[in-house]
Amino acid sequence: MEQVPEPDITETPEQDWVSVPAYSVDGSTGRLTQRKAQLWALVLESRFLEARILPVEYGWRVQVLRPDLDTATEELRRFVKENRDWPPLLPPVRPMRENTLPTLSVLLLVATFHNLTRLDLTVLGRHPVDWVEIGSAQVHRILDGEWWRLATSLTLHADWLHLLSNLSIGGLFIVYLCRDLGSGLAWSLLLAAGMLGNLLNAWVQLPSHASIGGSTAVFAAVGSLGAIAMMRYRHHLRRRWPVPVAAALALLVLLGSEGKQTDLGAHFFGFLSGLVLGWLTELLVGIYGRPGRLTNAVLCLASSAAILFSWWSALTFAD
């Protein structure tokens, strides 16, 4: 009977593993931490180099196959060089401006103006002045050229509840923004973003739509703070981005989504305008620094003049 020869079985020698010298990679003489060893092994695997980590006395080692040692060492050396200063350190915290009292004074002026709109007043020949009629954000009138409504509508409120909700909740964001940027720059930013938000809202609403209230500027403050945080901590967004987003969502629930008279478009476009202009503002502040006292004073006067001129235009030219 013919016998079938047995197959020739040869033992495959165990693969030769060697440790990657840490000194040749980053100049360190100590043992690797487990986290660092795992990171290096992950880097090598991403370069299609087989690697493993082993615990040793007082630390860890990364091992590769002997033929891959030089290549693995060079890959790790390049990785360490490219990421030596990453992630960058957090930027230094800017000291907050001590301007809470002036900011609260401006908010008090808004409340005082609300009282004045309830009185029978004669202003520039108008008696009585129908402030809502000549100053509200009526879409068809804005698109017909009555630009002042973009600003005047920000200073009007339907009732005390409407006013207090904006001042109490929105005031927190406005005070913080003023302390961060300076009063003049912050109020100029809020006015510009509020007017831009009203303009964008007018473009998408029906011609019959009308709205009043400072919540557009309040949402602009939230958007601005979110943009400033994302710009300032752009290398650490995974830790920082939920803060402005959570603030915006909380404010949307409190002010922006309840009631039949709620203007969601104005809130959304106010937030969007604040986000864009806040990003631009922080970009310029990062280049030129925050404005000094004199510049802030000029910006405050310019913002006040813009509001006064808008109301003068409303009293003079509104039908």
Side-chain angles (χ1 to χ4, degrees):
M1 180 176 180
E2 183 178 358
Q3 294 182 345
V4 178
E6 295 182 359
D8 184 16
I9 300 177
T10 58
E11 294 184 359
T12 303
E14 185 179 356
Q15 292 179 313
D16 190 9
W17 292 87
V18 292
S19 298
V20 176
Y23 180 81
S24 299
V25 175
D26 60 1
S28 62
T29 57
R31 304 291 186 183
L32 300 178
T33 64
Q34 183 179 7
R35 182 177 180 180
K36 190 173 184 179
Q38 290 174 338
L39 176 61
W40 284 13
L42 184 62
V43 170
L44 294 176
E45 290 176 0
S46 69
R47 301 295 192 271
F48 305 102
L49 296 173
E50 191 173 358
R52 68 182 184 182
I53 63 173
L54 293 176
V56 295
E57 189 176 5
Y58 305 118
W60 293 75
R61 286 181 180 174
V62 178
Q63 291 191 329
V64 296
L65 297 176
R66 184 176 295 276
D68 297 333
L69 179 60
D70 292 339
T71 303
T73 304
E74 181 60 28
E75 290 288 349
L76 290 175
R77 187 184 297 116
R78 185 181 300 114
F79 169 79
V80 170
K81 182 179 179 180
E82 292 175 353
N83 295 272
R84 189 174 302 278
D85 297 320
W86 190 267
L89 297 176
L90 287 173
V93 178
R94 291 199 299 245
M96 304 293 279
R97 298 286 177 85
E98 293 297 332
N99 55 13
T100 302
L101 183 58
T103 305
L104 294 177
S105 299
V106 174
L107 297 177
L108 181 60
L109 284 176
V110 175
T112 303
F113 180 72
H114 175 74
N115 282 337
L116 294 177
T117 62
R118 299 299 175 181
L119 302 177
D120 291 335
L121 299 176
T122 300
V123 183
L124 296 180
R126 289 181 178 268
H127 179 79
V129 179
D130 190 341
W131 300 94
V132 173
E133 176 60 29
I134 66 175
S136 60
Q138 299 179 33
V139 169
H140 70 284
R141 293 187 180 273
I142 291 175
L143 298 181
D144 284 342
E146 296 188 4
W147 57 267
W148 56 81
R149 295 178 181 273
L150 301 176
T152 55
S153 60
L154 298 174
T155 64
L156 295 171
H157 292 85
D159 50 39
W160 270 104
L161 181 61
H162 187 199
L163 174 68
L164 289 176
S165 64
N166 280 331
L167 293 185
S168 59
I169 301 174
L172 297 176
F173 297 97
I174 294 175
V175 167
Y176 188 89
L177 185 66
C178 288
R179 294 195 64 197
D180 191 348
L181 297 178
S183 294
L185 181 57
W187 283 114
S188 300
L189 170 61
L190 290 177
L191 179 59
M195 294 178 66
L196 178 59
N198 280 336
L199 179 60
L200 295 174
N201 193 40
W203 282 342
V204 302
Q205 297 286 2
L206 295 174
S208 59
H209 180 82
S211 65
I212 57 174
S215 55
T216 307
V218 169
F219 274 91
V222 178
S224 298
L225 288 173
I228 289 170
M230 287 187 287
M231 278 291 292
R232 195 172 298 170
Y233 304 102
R234 55 188 176 276
H235 300 309
H236 303 267
L237 283 184
R238 281 195 297 177
R239 290 185 293 173
R240 296 281 180 168
W241 74 264
V243 177
V245 173
L249 291 176
L251 193 58
L252 180 63
V253 172
L254 292 171
L255 295 178
S257 60
E258 294 293 333
K260 295 184 294 184
Q261 303 300 320
T262 299
D263 191 343
L264 289 176
H267 294 172
F268 171 75
F269 287 116
F271 176 79
L272 182 63
S273 299
L275 200 66
V276 174
L277 295 184
W279 172 84
L280 179 60
T281 299
E282 179 63 20
L283 180 64
L284 295 176
V285 168
I287 297 174
Y288 301 106
R290 288 188 297 183
R293 180 172 299 180
L294 178 60
T295 305
N296 265 309
V298 172
L299 289 173
C300 279
L301 291 175
S303 299
S304 301
I307 292 292
L308 292 175
F309 182 68
S310 297
W311 272 116
W312 177 84
S313 300
L315 291 165
T316 303
F317 301 113
D319 295 332

